[in-house]
């Protein structure tokens, strides 16, 4: 791809969509700066409906949005709410890093549990199912050490009626372990208690087999040293997530090249305008690339090549990521056509269509989207 390095002219406008609330605060902090410095008119369309965000992106109503592995995988696999004629998989591409979050596995400071090897039958674990539909990230941790085979029979589940109760149940000695955010007020309060708190680390570099067991249960998680939250969590290995800005694959590569370049070179102009912006960096992007299943946009690829950061290993992973997205896009289109031939209503509200689509994916042997331990992880 030939990119004009000196004569590029920014388009008249750029439109982004995001999650209403925090998302609007994040975009609203840096998007006006981009407009002011480039002369583009910037528009922001917040919505509570994630399905609409990606539908708007797919059909060119907006130029960008952001997403993490869980949401993007649901869209690409056409799961449930995304299992409609116009809201399933499409050729999207990532072009920069948006934010970074971390969480971890907390025990009381005097706990007998010090490493994942201490996670054995009889452990009392805070149960999040009363307010959270899916707690795979916790169930995956419990099988890391390989000692627990039956999560229902070998684990004592301690119900928490809300997210605020998790840390307190551990501090009160009613549970041994909880999955918590180190930035939450209840976690910060727990650290100040007489016993204090400690973190059970999940480090795939030291325990690759444990990490593989984890990822078989929850394939959409990455790990790393925690970077913010309570003093006790800093540097301890927990779950670390980086969300990426995305656009369509057919978005002008020259525009994406210069957008990535601008975000990189002008970070100092917007980094302090919101706490999330401190992670909108080249470092965050390069940290995520070895792990993500998101294909990278051609414009970003050219920018990384200019920086000397593009490698054969990244190129190989990117081709495989593109190939899998393409397989899903083609399979979804074929399934819709077959459903039309059978006069089957293609809708997330139609159980017959949902079953047909799931069976067709299994028939084709389409693998689920997952995160990777490294660029060498081809399992």
């Amino acid at each position: 791809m030939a990119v004009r390095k000196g004569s590029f002219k920014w388009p008249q406008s750029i439109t982004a969509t995001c999650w209403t609330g925090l998302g609007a605060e994040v975009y609203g902090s840096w998007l006006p700066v981009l407009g002011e410095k480039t002369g583009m008119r910037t528009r922001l369309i917040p919505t509570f409906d994630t399905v609409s965000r990606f539908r708007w992106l797919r059909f060119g109503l907006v130029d960008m949005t952001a997403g993490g592995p869980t949401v993007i995988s649901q869209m690409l696999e056409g799961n449930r709410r995304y299992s409609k004629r116009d809201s399933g998989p499409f050729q999207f591409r990532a072009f920069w890093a948006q934010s970074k979050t971390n969480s971890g596995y907390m025990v009381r400071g005097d706990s007998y549990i010090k490493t994942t090897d201490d996670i054995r039958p009889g452990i009392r674990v805070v149960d999040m199912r009363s307010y959270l539909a899916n707690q795979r990230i916790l169930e995956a941790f419990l099988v890391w050490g390989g000692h627990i085979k039956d999560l229902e029979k070998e684990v004592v589940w301690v119900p928490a009626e809300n997210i605020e109760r998790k840390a307190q149940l551990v501090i009160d000695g009613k549970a041994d372990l909880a999955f918590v955010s180190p930035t939450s007020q209840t976690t910060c309060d727990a650290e100040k208690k007489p016993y204090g708190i400690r973190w059970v680390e999940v480090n795939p570099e030291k325990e690759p087999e444990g990490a593989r067991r984890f990822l078989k249960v929850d394939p959409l998680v990455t790990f790393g040293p925690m970077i913010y939250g309570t003093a006790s969590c800093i540097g301890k290995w927990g779950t670390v997530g980086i969300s990426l800005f995305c656009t369509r694959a057919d978005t002008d590569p020259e525009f994406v090249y210069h957008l990535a370049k601008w975000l990189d070179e002008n970070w100092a102009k917007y980094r302090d305008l919101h706490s999330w912006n401190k992670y909108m960096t080249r470092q965050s992007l390069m940290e995520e690339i070895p792990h993500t299943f998101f294909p990278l946009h051609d414009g970003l690829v050219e920018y990384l090549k200019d920086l000397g950061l593009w490698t054969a290993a990244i190129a190989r992973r990117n081709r495989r990521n593109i190939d899998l997205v393409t397989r899903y896009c083609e399979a979804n289109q074929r399934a819709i056509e077959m459903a039309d031939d059978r006069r089957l209503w293609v809708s997330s509200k139609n159980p017959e269509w949902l079953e047909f689509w799931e069976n067709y994916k299994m028939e084709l042997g389409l693998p689920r989207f997952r995160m990777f331990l490294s660029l060498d992880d081809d399992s």
Side-chain angles (χ1 to χ4, degrees), residues 106-109 167-168 170-171 180-199 226 228-234 236:
M106 186 202 84
V107 297
R108 204 165 75 170
Q168 192 61 48
V170 174
I171 290 299
V180 301
S181 167
T183 62
S184 73
Q185 187 58 53
T186 53
T187 307
C188 295
D189 291 343
E191 183 160 87
K192 298 174 184 177
K193 300 293 184 181
Y195 290 112
I197 61 176
R198 195 171 66 244
W199 303 87
M226 289 185 277
Y228 59 92
T230 62
S232 63
C233 86
I234 305 301
K236 303 297 184 183

Side-chain angles (χ1 to χ4, degrees), residues 110-213:
D110 63 344
S111 174
Y112 71 93
I113 301 172
K114 294 181 171 56
T115 71
T116 52
D117 189 55
D118 298 320
I119 307 301
R120 295 173 180 264
I123 187 173
R124 300 172 301 163
V125 180
V126 175
D127 190 339
M128 305 184 292
R129 285 173 290 191
S130 64
Y131 61 89
L132 190 65
N134 190 321
Q135 60 174 1
R136 287 190 309 182
I137 199 167
L138 178 55
E139 295 166 353
F141 168 79
L142 294 173
V143 303
W144 181 295
H147 302 300
I148 292 180
K149 309 299 182 183
D150 190 321
L151 291 167
E152 289 303 320
K153 294 181 179 179
E154 297 179 339
V155 176
V156 178
W157 294 101
V158 182
E161 61 269 25
N162 55 53
I163 197 168
E164 288 79 17
R165 282 287 295 159
K166 292 192 294 184
Q168 192 61 48
L169 287 168
V170 174
I171 290 299
D172 291 344
K174 296 178 181 178
D176 299 313
L177 180 139
F179 177 71
V180 301
S181 167
T183 62
S184 73
Q185 187 58 53
T186 53
T187 307
C188 295
D189 291 343
E191 183 160 87
K192 298 174 184 177
K193 300 293 184 181
Y195 290 112
I197 61 176
R198 195 171 66 244
W199 303 87
V200 183
E201 296 191 76
V202 280
N203 186 341
E205 295 179 3
K206 293 183 177 179
E207 302 172 284
E209 289 307 312
R212 293 186 192 284
R213 282 190 287 268

Side-chain angles (χ1 to χ4, degrees), residues 209-227:
E209 289 307 312
R212 293 186 192 284
R213 282 190 287 268
F214 183 110
L215 292 174
K216 285 183 179 179
V217 178
D218 192 342
L220 301 174
V221 174
T222 50
F223 313 97
M226 289 185 277
I227 53 177

Side-chain angles (χ1 to χ4, degrees), residues 304-329:
L304 294 180
K305 286 180 178 178
D306 280 1
L307 294 173
L309 296 173
W310 191 252
T311 67
I314 295 176
R316 183 173 60 252
R317 171 61 55 71
N318 198 47
R319 284 195 300 271
R320 291 180 178 178
N321 288 348
I322 291 172
D323 288 346
L324 185 55
V325 169
T326 299
R327 289 177 63 190
Y328 265 91
C329 290

